[in-house]
Short mmCIF file of all heavy atoms in Angstrom, two decimals:
data_model
loop_
_atom_site.label_atom_id
_atom_site.label_comp_id
_atom_site.label_asym_id
_atom_site.label_seq_id
_atom_site.Cartn_x
_atom_site.Cartn_y
_atom_site.Cartn_z
N MET X 1 45.76 131.09 60.91
CA MET X 1 46.14 129.98 60.05
C MET X 1 47.49 129.44 60.52
O MET X 1 48.22 130.09 61.24
CB MET X 1 46.18 130.42 58.59
CG MET X 1 47.44 131.17 58.18
SD MET X 1 47.48 131.65 56.44
CE MET X 1 46.33 133.00 56.47
N ILE X 2 47.77 128.25 60.05
CA ILE X 2 49.03 127.59 60.44
C ILE X 2 49.94 127.46 59.21
O ILE X 2 49.50 127.02 58.15
CB ILE X 2 48.75 126.18 61.01
CG1 ILE X 2 47.86 126.24 62.26
CG2 ILE X 2 50.06 125.45 61.31
CD1 ILE X 2 48.50 126.88 63.46
N ILE X 3 51.19 127.86 59.38
CA ILE X 3 52.22 127.52 58.40
C ILE X 3 53.26 126.69 59.13
O ILE X 3 53.29 126.66 60.37
CB ILE X 3 52.87 128.76 57.74
CG1 ILE X 3 53.70 129.56 58.74
CG2 ILE X 3 51.81 129.63 57.08
CD1 ILE X 3 54.56 130.66 58.07
N TYR X 4 54.09 126.01 58.39
CA TYR X 4 55.14 125.18 58.99
C TYR X 4 56.49 125.78 58.63
O TYR X 4 56.85 125.83 57.45
CB TYR X 4 55.02 123.73 58.51
CG TYR X 4 53.73 123.11 58.98
CD1 TYR X 4 52.59 123.18 58.19
CD2 TYR X 4 53.64 122.53 60.24
CE1 TYR X 4 51.38 122.66 58.63
CE2 TYR X 4 52.44 122.01 60.69
CZ TYR X 4 51.32 122.08 59.88
OH TYR X 4 50.12 121.58 60.33
N LEU X 5 57.19 126.27 59.64
CA LEU X 5 58.50 126.88 59.46
C LEU X 5 59.55 125.90 59.95
O LEU X 5 59.59 125.60 61.15
CB LEU X 5 58.58 128.20 60.23
CG LEU X 5 59.92 128.93 60.22
CD1 LEU X 5 60.36 129.26 58.79
CD2 LEU X 5 59.84 130.19 61.07
N ASP X 6 60.34 125.38 59.04
CA ASP X 6 61.31 124.34 59.37
C ASP X 6 60.64 123.21 60.16
O ASP X 6 61.12 122.78 61.21
CB ASP X 6 62.50 124.92 60.14
CG ASP X 6 63.34 125.85 59.29
OD1 ASP X 6 63.33 125.70 58.05
OD2 ASP X 6 63.99 126.73 59.86
N GLN X 7 59.51 122.77 59.66
CA GLN X 7 58.71 121.66 60.18
C GLN X 7 58.01 121.95 61.51
O GLN X 7 57.40 121.06 62.09
CB GLN X 7 59.54 120.37 60.34
CG GLN X 7 59.79 119.67 59.02
CD GLN X 7 61.19 119.92 58.52
OE1 GLN X 7 62.12 119.96 59.30
NE2 GLN X 7 61.32 120.09 57.23
N GLU X 8 58.09 123.18 62.01
CA GLU X 8 57.39 123.52 63.24
C GLU X 8 56.18 124.38 62.92
O GLU X 8 56.28 125.35 62.16
CB GLU X 8 58.33 124.26 64.20
CG GLU X 8 59.45 123.35 64.67
CD GLU X 8 60.01 123.78 66.01
OE1 GLU X 8 59.36 124.57 66.72
OE2 GLU X 8 61.11 123.33 66.31
N ALA X 9 55.06 124.04 63.53
CA ALA X 9 53.83 124.79 63.28
C ALA X 9 53.95 126.19 63.86
O ALA X 9 54.46 126.39 64.96
CB ALA X 9 52.64 124.05 63.90
N LEU X 10 53.46 127.16 63.07
CA LEU X 10 53.51 128.55 63.48
C LEU X 10 52.14 129.16 63.16
O LEU X 10 51.70 129.12 62.01
CB LEU X 10 54.62 129.26 62.70
CG LEU X 10 54.89 130.73 62.98
CD1 LEU X 10 55.36 130.93 64.42
CD2 LEU X 10 55.91 131.28 62.00
N ASP X 11 51.49 129.69 64.18
CA ASP X 11 50.17 130.29 64.00
C ASP X 11 50.37 131.74 63.56
O ASP X 11 51.00 132.53 64.27
CB ASP X 11 49.39 130.22 65.32
CG ASP X 11 47.94 130.59 65.15
OD1 ASP X 11 47.49 130.74 64.00
OD2 ASP X 11 47.25 130.74 66.18
N VAL X 12 49.87 132.09 62.38
CA VAL X 12 50.08 133.44 61.85
C VAL X 12 48.74 134.07 61.48
O VAL X 12 47.78 133.38 61.15
CB VAL X 12 51.02 133.43 60.63
CG1 VAL X 12 52.38 132.86 60.99
CG2 VAL X 12 50.42 132.68 59.47
N ALA X 13 48.70 135.39 61.49
CA ALA X 13 47.50 136.11 61.08
C ALA X 13 47.39 136.09 59.56
O ALA X 13 48.40 136.09 58.85
CB ALA X 13 47.58 137.55 61.58
N SER X 14 46.18 136.08 59.07
CA SER X 14 46.00 136.11 57.62
C SER X 14 46.45 137.47 57.08
O SER X 14 46.39 138.48 57.78
CB SER X 14 44.54 135.84 57.25
OG SER X 14 43.74 136.86 57.77
N GLY X 15 46.94 137.47 55.86
CA GLY X 15 47.39 138.70 55.22
C GLY X 15 48.85 139.01 55.45
O GLY X 15 49.37 139.98 54.88
N LEU X 16 49.54 138.21 56.25
CA LEU X 16 50.97 138.46 56.48
C LEU X 16 51.80 137.88 55.34
O LEU X 16 51.48 136.84 54.79
CB LEU X 16 51.44 137.78 57.78
CG LEU X 16 51.16 138.44 59.11
CD1 LEU X 16 51.82 137.64 60.22
CD2 LEU X 16 51.64 139.87 59.13
N SER X 17 52.89 138.57 55.04
CA SER X 17 53.87 137.97 54.13
C SER X 17 54.63 136.90 54.91
O SER X 17 54.66 136.91 56.15
CB SER X 17 54.85 139.03 53.61
OG SER X 17 55.68 139.47 54.67
N VAL X 18 55.26 136.02 54.18
CA VAL X 18 56.08 135.00 54.84
C VAL X 18 57.21 135.66 55.63
O VAL X 18 57.52 135.25 56.75
CB VAL X 18 56.62 133.98 53.83
CG1 VAL X 18 57.59 133.02 54.47
CG2 VAL X 18 55.46 133.22 53.18
N ALA X 19 57.81 136.71 55.08
CA ALA X 19 58.89 137.41 55.79
C ALA X 19 58.39 137.98 57.11
O ALA X 19 59.08 137.88 58.14
CB ALA X 19 59.46 138.52 54.91
N ALA X 20 57.20 138.55 57.13
CA ALA X 20 56.65 139.10 58.37
C ALA X 20 56.35 137.98 59.36
O ALA X 20 56.60 138.12 60.56
CB ALA X 20 55.39 139.90 58.07
N ALA X 21 55.84 136.87 58.86
CA ALA X 21 55.54 135.74 59.74
C ALA X 21 56.82 135.18 60.35
O ALA X 21 56.86 134.86 61.54
CB ALA X 21 54.80 134.66 58.97
N VAL X 22 57.87 135.09 59.54
CA VAL X 22 59.16 134.58 60.05
C VAL X 22 59.71 135.54 61.11
O VAL X 22 60.18 135.11 62.16
CB VAL X 22 60.15 134.36 58.89
CG1 VAL X 22 61.54 134.06 59.41
CG2 VAL X 22 59.67 133.23 57.99
N ALA X 23 59.62 136.84 60.85
CA ALA X 23 60.09 137.82 61.84
C ALA X 23 59.29 137.71 63.14
O ALA X 23 59.85 137.78 64.23
CB ALA X 23 60.00 139.23 61.26
N ALA X 24 57.99 137.51 63.01
CA ALA X 24 57.13 137.41 64.19
C ALA X 24 57.40 136.13 64.98
O ALA X 24 57.04 136.05 66.16
CB ALA X 24 55.66 137.46 63.78
N SER X 25 58.07 135.17 64.35
CA SER X 25 58.36 133.92 65.05
C SER X 25 59.44 134.11 66.11
O SER X 25 59.66 133.22 66.94
CB SER X 25 58.83 132.85 64.04
OG SER X 25 60.17 133.08 63.64
N GLY X 26 60.14 135.25 66.06
CA GLY X 26 61.21 135.50 67.02
C GLY X 26 62.59 135.23 66.46
O GLY X 26 63.59 135.55 67.09
N ASP X 27 62.67 134.61 65.30
CA ASP X 27 63.95 134.33 64.64
C ASP X 27 63.81 134.77 63.18
O ASP X 27 63.24 134.03 62.38
CB ASP X 27 64.28 132.85 64.73
CG ASP X 27 65.60 132.51 64.06
OD1 ASP X 27 66.22 133.40 63.45
OD2 ASP X 27 66.01 131.33 64.14
N PRO X 28 64.26 135.97 62.83
CA PRO X 28 64.00 136.52 61.49
C PRO X 28 64.89 135.96 60.39
O PRO X 28 64.76 136.38 59.24
CB PRO X 28 64.26 138.01 61.69
CG PRO X 28 65.29 138.07 62.75
CD PRO X 28 64.96 136.93 63.68
N ARG X 29 65.75 135.01 60.69
CA ARG X 29 66.62 134.47 59.64
C ARG X 29 65.80 133.85 58.52
O ARG X 29 64.87 133.10 58.76
CB ARG X 29 67.54 133.38 60.18
CG ARG X 29 68.64 133.87 61.08
CD ARG X 29 69.46 132.71 61.62
NE ARG X 29 68.62 131.76 62.34
CZ ARG X 29 68.47 130.48 61.98
NH1 ARG X 29 69.13 129.99 60.96
NH2 ARG X 29 67.69 129.69 62.67
N THR X 30 66.18 134.15 57.29
CA THR X 30 65.52 133.54 56.15
C THR X 30 66.42 132.50 55.48
O THR X 30 65.93 131.57 54.87
CB THR X 30 65.13 134.60 55.11
OG1 THR X 30 66.27 135.39 54.81
CG2 THR X 30 64.01 135.49 55.65
N ARG X 31 67.72 132.70 55.58
CA ARG X 31 68.64 131.78 54.93
C ARG X 31 70.02 131.97 55.53
O ARG X 31 70.23 132.85 56.37
CB ARG X 31 68.68 131.99 53.42
CG ARG X 31 69.25 133.33 53.03
CD ARG X 31 69.15 133.58 51.52
NE ARG X 31 69.81 134.83 51.18
CZ ARG X 31 71.08 134.92 50.82
NH1 ARG X 31 71.84 133.86 50.73
NH2 ARG X 31 71.60 136.10 50.54
N THR X 32 70.96 131.15 55.08
CA THR X 32 72.34 131.27 55.50
C THR X 32 73.18 131.50 54.25
O THR X 32 72.99 130.81 53.25
CB THR X 32 72.82 129.99 56.21
OG1 THR X 32 71.95 129.76 57.32
CG2 THR X 32 74.24 130.12 56.71
N SER X 33 74.08 132.47 54.29
CA SER X 33 74.90 132.77 53.11
C SER X 33 75.91 131.65 52.88
O SER X 33 76.12 130.79 53.74
CB SER X 33 75.64 134.09 53.32
OG SER X 33 76.65 133.93 54.28
N CYS X 34 76.56 131.69 51.73
CA CYS X 34 77.57 130.67 51.41
C CYS X 34 78.69 130.65 52.43
O CYS X 34 79.30 129.61 52.68
CB CYS X 34 78.15 130.93 50.02
SG CYS X 34 76.96 130.73 48.70
N SER X 35 78.99 131.77 53.06
CA SER X 35 80.05 131.83 54.07
C SER X 35 79.52 131.54 55.47
O SER X 35 80.26 131.67 56.44
CB SER X 35 80.73 133.20 54.04
OG SER X 35 79.80 134.22 54.36
N GLY X 36 78.25 131.17 55.57
CA GLY X 36 77.70 130.77 56.85
C GLY X 36 77.07 131.89 57.66
O GLY X 36 76.71 131.68 58.82
N GLN X 37 76.94 133.06 57.06
CA GLN X 37 76.35 134.19 57.79
C GLN X 37 74.83 134.14 57.71
O GLN X 37 74.27 133.89 56.65
CB GLN X 37 76.83 135.51 57.17
CG GLN X 37 78.33 135.70 57.23
CD GLN X 37 78.82 135.75 58.66
OE1 GLN X 37 78.28 136.46 59.49
NE2 GLN X 37 79.83 134.95 58.95
N PRO X 38 74.15 134.39 58.83
CA PRO X 38 72.69 134.44 58.78
C PRO X 38 72.22 135.66 58.01
O PRO X 38 72.82 136.73 58.11
CB PRO X 38 72.30 134.53 60.26
CG PRO X 38 73.48 135.13 60.93
CD PRO X 38 74.69 134.67 60.16
N ARG X 39 71.18 135.51 57.22
CA ARG X 39 70.63 136.59 56.43
C ARG X 39 69.19 136.83 56.86
O ARG X 39 68.48 135.89 57.23
CB ARG X 39 70.68 136.28 54.93
CG ARG X 39 72.03 135.80 54.44
CD ARG X 39 73.15 136.74 54.77
NE ARG X 39 73.03 138.01 54.07
CZ ARG X 39 73.89 138.98 54.21
NH1 ARG X 39 74.93 138.84 55.02
NH2 ARG X 39 73.72 140.10 53.56
N THR X 40 68.78 138.09 56.79
CA THR X 40 67.40 138.46 57.13
C THR X 40 66.87 139.40 56.05
O THR X 40 67.64 140.02 55.32
CB THR X 40 67.34 139.18 58.50
OG1 THR X 40 68.12 140.36 58.44
CG2 THR X 40 67.85 138.28 59.62
N PRO X 41 65.56 139.53 55.96
CA PRO X 41 65.00 140.46 54.98
C PRO X 41 65.54 141.86 55.21
O PRO X 41 65.72 142.30 56.35
CB PRO X 41 63.50 140.41 55.24
CG PRO X 41 63.29 139.07 55.86
CD PRO X 41 64.51 138.81 56.69
N LEU X 42 65.80 142.58 54.12
CA LEU X 42 66.35 143.92 54.24
C LEU X 42 65.39 144.97 53.66
O LEU X 42 65.00 145.90 54.34
CB LEU X 42 67.70 143.99 53.51
CG LEU X 42 68.42 145.33 53.55
CD1 LEU X 42 68.77 145.71 54.98
CD2 LEU X 42 69.68 145.28 52.70
N CYS X 43 64.99 144.79 52.41
CA CYS X 43 64.21 145.85 51.76
C CYS X 43 62.70 145.68 51.93
O CYS X 43 61.97 146.67 51.97
CB CYS X 43 64.56 145.92 50.29
SG CYS X 43 63.94 144.52 49.32
N GLY X 44 62.23 144.46 51.97
CA GLY X 44 60.79 144.21 52.09
C GLY X 44 60.01 144.52 50.84
O GLY X 44 58.77 144.57 50.88
N MET X 45 60.70 144.72 49.71
CA MET X 45 59.97 145.04 48.48
C MET X 45 60.54 144.35 47.24
O MET X 45 60.36 144.84 46.13
CB MET X 45 59.92 146.54 48.28
CG MET X 45 61.24 147.23 48.23
SD MET X 45 60.97 149.01 48.14
CE MET X 45 62.65 149.56 48.04
N GLY X 46 61.19 143.21 47.43
CA GLY X 46 61.58 142.40 46.28
C GLY X 46 62.86 142.77 45.58
O GLY X 46 63.10 142.29 44.47
N ILE X 47 63.69 143.58 46.18
CA ILE X 47 64.91 144.03 45.51
C ILE X 47 66.17 143.33 46.03
O ILE X 47 66.99 142.86 45.25
CB ILE X 47 65.06 145.56 45.65
CG1 ILE X 47 63.91 146.25 44.91
CG2 ILE X 47 66.41 146.03 45.09
CD1 ILE X 47 63.84 147.74 45.11
N CYS X 48 66.32 143.21 47.33
CA CYS X 48 67.60 142.77 47.90
C CYS X 48 67.85 141.26 47.77
O CYS X 48 68.99 140.82 47.85
CB CYS X 48 67.71 143.19 49.36
SG CYS X 48 66.66 142.25 50.49
N GLN X 49 66.83 140.47 47.64
CA GLN X 49 66.92 139.01 47.51
C GLN X 49 67.39 138.32 48.80
O GLN X 49 67.67 137.12 48.79
CB GLN X 49 67.86 138.61 46.36
CG GLN X 49 67.55 139.29 45.04
CD GLN X 49 66.29 138.76 44.39
OE1 GLN X 49 66.18 137.57 44.15
NE2 GLN X 49 65.34 139.64 44.13
N GLU X 50 67.50 139.05 49.89
CA GLU X 50 67.96 138.44 51.15
C GLU X 50 66.91 137.55 51.80
O GLU X 50 67.21 136.83 52.74
CB GLU X 50 68.38 139.53 52.14
CG GLU X 50 69.59 140.34 51.71
CD GLU X 50 70.86 139.53 51.69
OE1 GLU X 50 70.85 138.33 52.01
OE2 GLU X 50 71.90 140.10 51.32
N CYS X 51 65.69 137.59 51.31
CA CYS X 51 64.62 136.82 51.94
C CYS X 51 64.31 135.54 51.18
O CYS X 51 63.24 134.96 51.39
CB CYS X 51 63.37 137.68 52.09
SG CYS X 51 62.65 138.14 50.50
N ARG X 52 65.21 135.09 50.32
CA ARG X 52 64.95 133.85 49.58
C ARG X 52 64.77 132.69 50.55
O ARG X 52 65.59 132.45 51.43
CB ARG X 52 66.11 133.54 48.63
CG ARG X 52 66.25 134.52 47.50
CD ARG X 52 67.27 134.05 46.48
NE ARG X 52 68.55 133.68 47.07
CZ ARG X 52 69.60 134.50 47.15
NH1 ARG X 52 69.51 135.72 46.68
NH2 ARG X 52 70.72 134.09 47.67
N MET X 53 63.66 131.98 50.38
CA MET X 53 63.37 130.82 51.21
C MET X 53 62.77 129.74 50.32
O MET X 53 62.32 130.02 49.20
CB MET X 53 62.39 131.16 52.34
CG MET X 53 62.87 132.25 53.26
SD MET X 53 61.76 132.53 54.66
CE MET X 53 62.33 131.23 55.78
N THR X 54 62.75 128.53 50.82
CA THR X 54 62.07 127.45 50.11
C THR X 54 60.64 127.40 50.63
O THR X 54 60.41 127.13 51.81
CB THR X 54 62.78 126.11 50.33
OG1 THR X 54 64.14 126.24 49.88
CG2 THR X 54 62.10 125.01 49.54
N ILE X 55 59.70 127.72 49.77
CA ILE X 55 58.29 127.81 50.14
C ILE X 55 57.52 126.82 49.28
O ILE X 55 57.52 126.92 48.06
CB ILE X 55 57.76 129.25 49.94
CG1 ILE X 55 58.56 130.23 50.80
CG2 ILE X 55 56.27 129.31 50.25
CD1 ILE X 55 58.24 131.70 50.56
N ASP X 56 56.94 125.84 49.94
CA ASP X 56 56.24 124.76 49.24
C ASP X 56 57.12 124.18 48.13
O ASP X 56 56.66 123.94 47.01
CB ASP X 56 54.89 125.22 48.71
CG ASP X 56 53.87 125.42 49.83
OD1 ASP X 56 54.05 124.84 50.92
OD2 ASP X 56 52.90 126.16 49.61
N GLY X 57 58.40 123.98 48.45
CA GLY X 57 59.32 123.30 47.55
C GLY X 57 59.96 124.16 46.49
O GLY X 57 60.75 123.65 45.69
N GLN X 58 59.64 125.46 46.46
CA GLN X 58 60.23 126.31 45.44
C GLN X 58 60.91 127.51 46.08
O GLN X 58 60.40 128.06 47.07
CB GLN X 58 59.16 126.82 44.48
CG GLN X 58 58.51 125.69 43.71
CD GLN X 58 57.65 126.19 42.57
OE1 GLN X 58 57.35 127.36 42.48
NE2 GLN X 58 57.27 125.29 41.69
N ARG X 59 62.04 127.94 45.51
CA ARG X 59 62.72 129.14 46.01
C ARG X 59 61.89 130.36 45.66
O ARG X 59 61.57 130.57 44.49
CB ARG X 59 64.12 129.25 45.40
CG ARG X 59 65.06 128.12 45.75
CD ARG X 59 65.39 128.06 47.22
NE ARG X 59 66.15 129.19 47.67
CZ ARG X 59 67.47 129.26 47.72
NH1 ARG X 59 68.20 128.24 47.34
NH2 ARG X 59 68.08 130.34 48.14
N GLN X 60 61.53 131.11 46.68
CA GLN X 60 60.70 132.30 46.47
C GLN X 60 61.17 133.39 47.41
O GLN X 60 61.85 133.14 48.40
CB GLN X 60 59.23 131.98 46.76
CG GLN X 60 58.63 130.92 45.85
CD GLN X 60 57.18 130.69 46.15
OE1 GLN X 60 56.40 131.63 46.22
NE2 GLN X 60 56.81 129.43 46.32
N LEU X 61 60.75 134.61 47.11
CA LEU X 61 61.04 135.73 48.00
C LEU X 61 59.96 135.78 49.08
O LEU X 61 58.78 135.95 48.79
CB LEU X 61 61.05 137.04 47.21
CG LEU X 61 62.14 137.17 46.15
CD1 LEU X 61 62.00 138.50 45.42
CD2 LEU X 61 63.52 137.02 46.77
N ALA X 62 60.40 135.67 50.33
CA ALA X 62 59.44 135.63 51.44
C ALA X 62 58.68 136.94 51.59
O ALA X 62 57.53 136.94 52.02
CB ALA X 62 60.18 135.30 52.74
N CYS X 63 59.31 138.06 51.21
CA CYS X 63 58.62 139.35 51.36
C CYS X 63 57.55 139.56 50.31
O CYS X 63 56.71 140.44 50.46
CB CYS X 63 59.61 140.50 51.35
SG CYS X 63 60.32 140.88 49.73
N GLN X 64 57.58 138.76 49.25
CA GLN X 64 56.62 138.91 48.16
C GLN X 64 55.60 137.79 48.12
O GLN X 64 54.84 137.66 47.17
CB GLN X 64 57.37 138.96 46.82
CG GLN X 64 58.36 140.11 46.72
CD GLN X 64 57.67 141.46 46.79
OE1 GLN X 64 56.83 141.78 45.97
NE2 GLN X 64 58.01 142.24 47.81
N THR X 65 55.59 136.96 49.17
CA THR X 65 54.71 135.80 49.20
C THR X 65 53.81 135.87 50.43
O THR X 65 54.31 136.02 51.55
CB THR X 65 55.56 134.50 49.26
OG1 THR X 65 56.48 134.50 48.17
CG2 THR X 65 54.68 133.27 49.18
N LEU X 66 52.52 135.80 50.23
CA LEU X 66 51.59 135.82 51.36
C LEU X 66 51.44 134.42 51.94
O LEU X 66 51.47 133.42 51.21
CB LEU X 66 50.22 136.33 50.91
CG LEU X 66 50.17 137.80 50.48
CD1 LEU X 66 48.74 138.16 50.03
CD2 LEU X 66 50.59 138.71 51.62
N CYS X 67 51.27 134.35 53.24
CA CYS X 67 51.06 133.07 53.91
C CYS X 67 49.74 132.45 53.46
O CYS X 67 48.76 133.15 53.24
CB CYS X 67 51.03 133.26 55.43
SG CYS X 67 52.60 133.76 56.14
N ARG X 68 49.78 131.14 53.32
CA ARG X 68 48.57 130.35 53.06
C ARG X 68 48.53 129.23 54.08
O ARG X 68 49.58 128.71 54.50
CB ARG X 68 48.60 129.74 51.65
CG ARG X 68 48.29 130.73 50.55
CD ARG X 68 48.34 130.11 49.17
NE ARG X 68 49.73 130.00 48.70
CZ ARG X 68 50.44 128.90 48.70
NH1 ARG X 68 49.93 127.75 49.08
NH2 ARG X 68 51.70 128.90 48.29
N ASP X 69 47.35 128.84 54.48
CA ASP X 69 47.21 127.80 55.48
C ASP X 69 47.90 126.51 55.00
O ASP X 69 47.70 126.10 53.85
CB ASP X 69 45.73 127.53 55.75
CG ASP X 69 45.52 126.73 57.02
OD1 ASP X 69 46.25 126.95 58.00
OD2 ASP X 69 44.61 125.87 57.01
N GLY X 70 48.72 125.94 55.86
CA GLY X 70 49.40 124.69 55.53
C GLY X 70 50.69 124.86 54.76
O GLY X 70 51.36 123.87 54.44
N MET X 71 51.07 126.09 54.46
CA MET X 71 52.28 126.37 53.69
C MET X 71 53.51 125.83 54.42
O MET X 71 53.59 125.90 55.64
CB MET X 71 52.39 127.89 53.52
CG MET X 71 53.61 128.38 52.82
SD MET X 71 53.56 130.20 52.72
CE MET X 71 52.77 130.39 51.14
N ARG X 72 54.45 125.29 53.67
CA ARG X 72 55.69 124.78 54.26
C ARG X 72 56.85 125.68 53.84
O ARG X 72 57.09 125.86 52.65
CB ARG X 72 55.93 123.34 53.85
CG ARG X 72 54.81 122.44 54.34
CD ARG X 72 55.14 121.00 54.38
NE ARG X 72 54.05 120.26 55.01
CZ ARG X 72 54.00 119.99 56.31
NH1 ARG X 72 55.00 120.34 57.09
NH2 ARG X 72 52.98 119.34 56.81
N VAL X 73 57.52 126.23 54.85
CA VAL X 73 58.58 127.22 54.64
C VAL X 73 59.87 126.70 55.28
O VAL X 73 59.84 126.24 56.43
CB VAL X 73 58.19 128.57 55.27
CG1 VAL X 73 59.28 129.60 55.07
CG2 VAL X 73 56.86 129.07 54.71
N GLU X 74 60.94 126.76 54.53
CA GLU X 74 62.22 126.30 55.05
C GLU X 74 63.30 127.34 54.84
O GLU X 74 63.41 127.93 53.77
CB GLU X 74 62.64 124.99 54.37
CG GLU X 74 61.69 123.86 54.65
CD GLU X 74 62.01 122.64 53.81
OE1 GLU X 74 63.19 122.46 53.45
OE2 GLU X 74 61.07 121.89 53.51
N ARG X 75 64.09 127.56 55.90
CA ARG X 75 65.27 128.39 55.75
C ARG X 75 66.28 127.59 54.94
O ARG X 75 66.33 126.37 55.05
CB ARG X 75 65.85 128.73 57.13
CG ARG X 75 64.94 129.59 57.96
CD ARG X 75 65.59 129.91 59.28
NE ARG X 75 64.78 130.88 60.01
CZ ARG X 75 63.94 130.54 61.00
NH1 ARG X 75 63.83 129.30 61.38
NH2 ARG X 75 63.23 131.47 61.60
N SER X 76 67.06 128.26 54.14
CA SER X 76 68.00 127.53 53.29
C SER X 76 69.21 128.38 53.01
O SER X 76 69.30 129.51 53.47
CB SER X 76 67.31 127.14 51.98
OG SER X 76 66.75 128.29 51.37
N GLN X 77 70.16 127.83 52.23
CA GLN X 77 71.34 128.59 51.83
C GLN X 77 71.09 129.28 50.53
O GLN X 77 70.27 128.93 49.77
CB GLN X 77 72.55 127.67 51.71
CG GLN X 77 72.98 127.17 53.06
CD GLN X 77 74.30 126.45 52.98
OE1 GLN X 77 74.80 126.11 51.92
NE2 GLN X 77 74.90 126.23 54.11
S1 FES Y 101 63.37 141.55 51.74
FE1 FES Y 101 64.42 142.27 50.01
S2 FES Y 101 63.72 141.00 48.41
FE2 FES Y 101 62.58 140.38 50.13
#
C-alpha cells in the first residue's frame, strides 16, 4: 500500500504501524522539538509521546496507528 510521508509516496507493507513505516523510510524522525531537536519513537507502546505526528490532519501517536492506503503523514513540531 502507499502512504504519503511529507507529501512523498512511500510503499509500505500492510500491518505496519506508522512509526515502523517511518523508520523503514530511512529517516525515523517523527517530529521536531520546540528547541529544534529531532525526535524519534522511543517506547513503541504509547507512553513516551515522542512519535506524535499529523496523520490525516490529526495529531496522533504513530506507534499506535496502523498504516492505511492513501494515509497522509506529516512530521511536525
Ligand atoms: S513511541 Fe512512545 S508513544 Fe509512540
Side-chain angles (χ1 to χ4, degrees):
M1 80 179 75
I2 300 293
I3 68 170
Y4 296 91
L5 176 58
D6 293 335
Q7 283 102 38
E8 294 205 17
L10 182 64
D11 191 9
V12 301
S14 63
L16 280 185
S17 69
V18 173
V22 170
S25 76
D27 180 355
R29 289 177 302 119
T30 51
R31 65 186 185 92
T32 302
S33 71
C34 294
S35 62
Q37 299 298 312
R39 310 305 294 179
T40 60
L42 181 62
C43 71
M45 57 185 182
I47 296 173
C48 73
Q49 309 288 303
E50 295 292 0
C51 66
R52 293 189 308 264
M53 301 185 83
T54 302
I55 301 173
D56 288 339
Q58 296 191 348
R59 297 296 294 268
Q60 298 182 50
L61 296 178
C63 73
Q64 300 297 301
T65 305
L66 293 179
C67 292
R68 284 180 280 102
D69 195 38
M71 177 180 268
R72 298 199 174 268
V73 179
E74 297 172 28
R75 294 182 173 100
S76 54
Q77 290 189 347

